């Protein structure tokens, strides 16, 4: 059974940084993309970033490009999201997920999800 466990969320002031981690277990992930999504209260879940396990190709939503960096450690089956220059609008619950389609940014093309970790950015 696939398990995804996120950690690293918290409260930070605007302009600060956080690093989220997602530890994956239960199967071989070398052929699947891993993504980070977020969901703020009253809003739909939205794509943040994704990385291909096999070749490390990354993709980002426009509003985080240049501030967030997604990376992976294949040996540890762990994906990271380094978030710098955080803004209040980045406040949300952040989820990692295993994708079905390479390069996908659609939540319905990800089939395993973690429990989420809260990120709160104060102004």
């Amino acid at each position: 059974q696939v398990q995804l466990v996120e950690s690293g969320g918290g409260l930070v002031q605007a302009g600060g940084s956080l690093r989220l981690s997602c530890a994956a277990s239960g199967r071989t992930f070398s052929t699947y993309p891993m993504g980070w999504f977020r969901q703020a209260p009253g809003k739909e879940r939205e794509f943040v970033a994704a990385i291909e396990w096999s070749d490390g190709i990354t993709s980002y939503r426009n509003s985080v490009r240049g501030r967030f960096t997604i990376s992976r450690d294949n040996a540890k089956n762990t994906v990271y999201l380094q978030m710098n220059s955080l803004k209040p609008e980045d406040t949300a619950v952040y989820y990692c997920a295993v994708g079905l389609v390479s390069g996908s940014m659609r939540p319905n093309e990800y089939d395993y999800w973690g429990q989420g970790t809260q990120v709160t950015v104060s102004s």
Side-chain angles (χ1 to χ4, degrees):
Q1 183 171 345
V2 174
Q3 278 195 317
L4 303 174
V5 180
E6 301 104 332
S7 61
L11 173 64
V12 64
Q13 288 188 332
S17 298
L18 285 173
R19 189 175 84 152
L20 306 183
S21 300
C22 173
S25 62
R27 71 174 183 198
T28 301
F29 295 93
S30 61
T31 59
Y32 298 89
M34 293 291 293
W36 284 98
F37 291 77
R38 66 187 182 188
Q39 188 165 17
K43 296 188 176 181
E44 292 187 353
R45 190 167 298 189
E46 63 182 20
F47 172 81
V48 176
I51 188 167
E52 300 294 329
W53 278 109
S54 56
D55 55 17
I57 291 177
T58 58
S59 55
Y60 299 91
R61 72 179 297 107
N62 288 339
S63 63
V64 307
R65 188 174 289 113
R67 300 188 297 122
F68 290 12
T69 303
I70 188 171
S71 62
R72 79 214 190 285
D73 184 330
N74 288 10
K76 295 182 179 179
N77 262 4
T78 300
V79 175
Y80 305 96
L81 185 68
Q82 177 67 44
M83 305 186 294
N84 299 329
S85 302
L86 282 160
K87 304 176 180 180
E89 51 263 42
D90 294 318
T91 295
V93 177
Y94 283 70
Y95 300 89
C96 68
V98 179
L100 296 169
V101 179
S102 178
S104 174
M105 299 182 183
R106 301 176 180 177
N108 62 2
E109 292 180 342
Y110 285 74
D111 63 348
Y112 292 102
W113 294 81
Q115 81 286 352
T117 185
Q118 177 71 47
V119 171
T120 303
V121 185
S122 63
S123 56

